[in-house]
Amino acid sequence: MTAGKARLAVGVAALLLLTGCAAGGRGAEPPPAAAARTTGSTAAGVDAARGFHSTRGYRATPVPVRIGIPAIGVTSSLDRLGRAPDKTVQVPSRWEVAGWYAPGTRPGDPGSAVILGHVDSKRGPAVFYRLRELRRGDLVEVARADGSTVRFAVQRTEQYDKRRFPTDEVYYPTLTPALRLVTCGGEFDATVGHYRSNIIVFATLRP
Amino acid sequence: MRSRTGPVILAMSILAAMAACDSSPPDRSAPPPTTQVSGHPAEHQAGHQEEHQVEAAKSPTALAGQLQQYYAQHTLLAMRQMRSVLTATPAYRQAADKELEEYTEELAQIVAAKFGDAQGERFEQLWQGEIAHFSAYAEAVAGNDAAARQQARSDLLADADAYGDWLAGASGGRAQASGAAAAMRTHAEQLMEQADAYAAHDYDRAYRVERQGYEHMFAAGTDLARASLAPKAAATLDMPVEKLRAAFAMLLGEHMQLIIDTQRATFDGAPQFKAAAAQVNANSAALTKGMGVIVGPSKAGEFQEVWAHHVEGLLEYSTALASNDQAEKTAAREEMRGYGSRLALYLSDIVRNELPLKPLTEAWGAHDQHLVDQINAYAAKRYDEAQEMELDGYGQMLGLAGTILGAIQRTLSPQLPVGGSQTGGGGTAHRRR
């Protein structure tokens, strides 16, 4: 059996076992007299229930268009980023402009929104040059396409070797609104033209 | 007595086995393997296995799932028991008392397995004392006895402090007494507040606090699991994968419980129904937001539409039952079947067929059946049976949530970016150091 078929077979088993917990036979319908509690309260409850509508009209949160980080003097529009063909994250095409990882969370929604920016170019500092200076409590503002602004407070700033990049902590969905800011840091490897580490700022939604 | 957490642990064990079947390299998103399954499914199906010994789950994540379920369900049972006192419904109270007692015994067995027999006994004493004081509080509110009410409040706050001391001692300092006591004080305050609100006919507040209380104790279950684990094992509970599983299990379990509230409130009156239904809608909105994180905005809107029909079908059935309209009941059941299939199709699609459609449809059908059965029993005043259905249905819902989230995790992880970002190219930042 291939790994895929084996997984599917076990998936079937899991679901069948969950189905097996159904009541089946118990919980029989009550006789009419028992069910029809013809009190005024029940009649009012029934009337209210007939007017019930489940919540609808889901509206997606607007996309982010601009970031501001007053503590380090950053203001930038935001490019949309995705995943490159080699499965790494795309990076902004301009040194002075940050980018939002669009397949992920929109800032303010549950989950971690990810904004990336370059630390430098061969000519000098880039948009996130001072990112590593951010400290707990510093403010990050993200403006959205509808004109609203969502604010985050920095919790911590960490440096990670790129070979041990905490993918789940940065990109994995959660139900808590958060923001991750990512740039490069640490040693610069001149032989390949890249830094060996990433600086990651972890921030949470400010009420 | 029987195991309530079998389906949850079972689902987690099977998910671990599914991960093990995969020949690909180890995946952080897969739950750690569990080596033991508590609550054999046949036993669970039989339903009345007396003197069943509940075993603590062995993997950290399965243990957390087990304790989240027990703590959250305890909270709801205690709230319902208090309301049965306020509404002077002794038969319902008797059913809730019985389930609270059994739940306490089972929980104490798990605690004993993790912290030792003596600690299990002490926990059981504390828990029984707390339940008695909740009852005393509800009786004092019902009897408008201010002195008795104050005494019950003092006792409950003392219970919370005693719990903090107990957990700090039992865990060898892994849990802090002050933090555990504060969590239990919040729990006590929430249960008292919902009782006060219910007695004052402020149903909006009563049901809102109920939902907060459920969510609070679901998280407290995680804290209890964490306190029983070595630091390395406890750290797995903070992994994003596990947090997502717990969050969805909490929301789907909450859905089940709020539907039960709302179905039953149909028999109680318009204000009760509206207040309970508002919390159903709040839960549905949270679930849709959560789905949006996983599947994106467009598919989240699709989920909300299918989910809305699922919820409406369940409430249409209880409305038909309360008004004794056979034709409407039949129509509601048909609608539930139709939207159960659509929901299964949606879920199977978003996990790219990791979960096969037919058993997934049947699992949603089982969820609907639990809710239909519990309201049938409740309407006929067979409260013991209604409680049994509630507890079985809650366990099944959490098990199903675990299975779905496992499939989502396997689908999601390969889509995440690999490695770090190349967000620097000049060496300037390095040179300035």
Side-chain angles (χ1 to χ4, degrees):
Chain A
M1 190 185 288
T2 65
K5 281 183 181 171
R7 283 196 322 196
L8 196 63
V10 185
V12 173
L15 287 164
L16 286 174
L17 289 166
L18 290 166
T19 307
C21 298
R26 287 197 287 163
E29 288 185 27
R37 297 174 173 183
T38 52
T39 64
S41 294
T42 299
V46 166
D47 283 347
R50 289 198 196 288
F52 171 78
H53 294 289
S54 185
T55 186
R56 283 183 170 80
Y58 172 75
R59 292 177 61 186
T61 298
V63 297
V65 294
R66 194 161 192 84
I67 185 170
I69 314 174
I72 55 172
V74 167
T75 59
S76 169
S77 58
L78 291 171
D79 285 345
R80 288 173 73 102
L81 306 173
R83 213 167 69 142
D86 66 356
K87 299 183 180 178
T88 60
V89 68
Q90 283 181 338
V91 296
S93 57
R94 294 175 288 175
W95 303 111
E96 71 281 14
V97 175
W100 164 60
Y101 179 65
T105 294
R106 297 178 179 199
D109 265 351
S112 301
V114 183
I115 292 177
L116 304 100
H118 291 285
V119 65
D120 64 9
S121 71
K122 286 176 183 168
R123 293 182 181 177
V127 63
F128 277 178
Y129 184 74
R130 296 178 60 198
L131 198 71
R132 67 180 178 186
E133 296 173 23
L134 288 178
R135 295 292 175 263
R136 185 180 176 84
D138 285 342
L139 174 70
V140 182
E141 296 174 310
V142 180
R144 300 185 291 200
D146 66 344
S148 64
T149 299
V150 63
R151 292 173 178 81
F152 297 87
V154 170
Q155 296 302 308
R156 65 183 206 275
T157 301
E158 303 274 0
Q159 180 173 315
Y160 293 90
D161 187 310
K162 286 181 184 176
R163 292 167 299 182
R164 286 186 286 279
F165 187 86
T167 298
D168 283 355
E169 274 202 83
V170 173
Y171 294 107
Y172 203 84
T174 71
L175 296 194
T176 306
L179 180 69
R180 310 284 186 246
L181 305 176
V182 182
T183 193
C184 279
E187 296 290 320
F188 184 75
D189 185 346
T191 59
V192 294
H194 290 303
Y195 285 89
R196 291 200 172 111
S197 300
N198 279 125
I199 303 292
I200 305 174
V201 174
F202 297 83
T204 53
L205 190 65
R206 236 173 66 158
Chain B
M1 189 194 303
R2 64 215 169 97
S3 169
R4 317 287 186 189
T5 52
V8 183
I9 299 169
L10 183 63
M12 288 181 166
S13 301
I14 290 170
L15 288 169
M18 290 167 83
C21 290
D22 195 332
S23 58
S24 57
D27 177 358
R28 284 182 66 194
S29 70
T34 52
T35 54
Q36 187 163 357
V37 175
S38 171
H40 189 278
E43 209 169 78
H44 190 88
Q45 236 174 333
H48 290 288
Q49 182 99 5
E50 295 301 321
E51 301 305 321
H52 175 77
Q53 186 73 24
V54 177
E55 292 179 31
K58 296 235 168 122
S59 88
T61 52
L63 179 68
Q66 194 177 36
L67 293 173
Q68 286 157 356
Q69 178 179 354
Y70 270 98
Y71 266 28
Q73 184 67 68
H74 158 81
T75 305
L76 291 166
L77 282 169
M79 286 191 191
R80 288 174 182 149
Q81 190 255 30
M82 292 171 87
R83 290 180 192 178
S84 73
V85 173
L86 298 171
T87 55
T89 319
Y92 187 22
R93 177 179 179 174
Q94 198 176 9
D97 280 341
K98 183 179 157 217
E99 291 294 353
L100 274 168
E101 188 184 327
E102 288 191 3
Y103 243 60
T104 302
E105 285 174 24
E106 292 178 16
L107 192 45
Q109 287 172 22
I110 298 169
V111 169
K114 299 308 295 181
F115 296 103
D117 287 345
Q119 298 297 347
E121 280 177 30
R122 175 67 183 138
F123 172 86
E124 191 167 6
Q125 285 171 359
L126 285 170
W127 221 239
Q128 285 169 340
E130 190 209 41
I131 291 167
H133 295 140
F134 281 134
S135 297
Y137 187 86
E139 284 162 5
V141 172
N144 204 22
D145 183 338
R149 188 172 155 196
Q150 187 54 44
Q151 182 60 52
R153 171 179 291 276
S154 300
D155 289 340
L156 283 164
L157 296 180
D159 291 340
D161 289 341
Y163 177 88
D165 291 340
W166 165 77
L167 187 56
S171 68
R174 283 181 189 138
Q176 287 197 337
S178 58
M184 278 300 135
R185 274 198 296 277
T186 300
H187 167 59
E189 294 285 4
Q190 285 168 330
L191 263 69
M192 288 187 281
E193 183 180 354
Q194 66 83 30
D196 291 341
Y198 202 89
H201 307 297
D202 183 354
Y203 300 114
D204 287 341
R205 185 158 63 102
Y207 284 102
R208 189 177 63 247
V209 173
E210 173 186 324
R211 186 160 164 251
Q212 291 165 355
Y214 165 87
E215 294 179 0
H216 175 74
M217 282 302 275
F218 197 95
T222 314
D223 293 340
L224 180 60
R226 186 177 283 113
S228 76
L229 296 166
K232 193 175 174 186
T236 62
L237 304 183
D238 296 322
M239 287 166 59
V241 170
E242 169 56 13
K243 282 184 173 176
L244 188 69
R245 180 210 63 77
F248 265 91
M250 191 273 287
L251 284 172
L252 284 168
E254 185 177 86
H255 155 74
M256 169 100 197
Q257 295 289 355
L258 292 171
I259 291 285
I260 289 171
D261 272 341
T262 312
Q263 286 180 315
R264 293 178 184 178
T266 310
F267 292 87
D268 297 333
Q272 293 93 322
F273 177 88
K274 286 177 181 169
Q279 295 309 314
V280 168
N281 273 341
N283 168 269
S284 296
L287 264 174
T288 304
K289 278 275 187 190
M291 287 302 291
V293 174
I294 293 165
V295 299
S298 165
K299 294 287 267 182
E302 193 183 315
F303 169 81
Q304 190 184 48
E305 185 62 28
V306 182
W307 190 256
H309 284 284
H310 166 66
V311 168
E312 285 168 356
L314 290 164
L315 296 184
E316 277 166 26
Y317 180 84
S318 50
T319 307
L321 182 67
S323 55
N324 200 28
D325 186 330
Q326 192 58 44
E328 194 183 350
K329 270 198 291 189
T330 304
R333 291 295 281 133
E334 276 303 308
E335 187 176 357
M336 285 158 68
R337 271 188 280 276
Y339 281 100
S341 300
R342 276 191 59 184
L343 194 52
L345 186 61
Y346 173 88
L347 292 167
S348 185
D349 179 52
I350 65 166
V351 298
R352 300 182 182 174
N353 301 315
E354 278 269 347
L355 294 176
L357 185 59
K358 187 168 181 289
L360 189 57
T361 306
E362 288 168 358
W364 276 107
H367 163 63
D368 287 349
Q369 190 65 48
H370 277 118
L371 288 163
V372 165
D373 285 346
Q374 77 79 25
I375 195 60
N376 282 340
Y378 182 84
K381 301 186 181 180
R382 298 193 304 266
Y383 297 122
D384 280 348
E385 195 179 320
Q387 288 306 115
E388 286 281 322
M389 291 296 99
E390 173 191 328
L391 300 174
D392 284 357
Y394 185 59
Q396 189 259 356
M397 184 84 264
L398 295 188
L400 183 54
T403 302
I404 292 167
L405 258 293
I408 285 173
Q409 285 161 5
R410 291 191 300 281
T411 312
L412 257 180
S413 290
Q415 298 174 43
L416 301 180
V418 173
S421 64
Q422 305 296 13
T423 37
T428 319
H430 172 55
R431 284 197 296 273
R432 74 173 165 162
R433 284 165 166 260

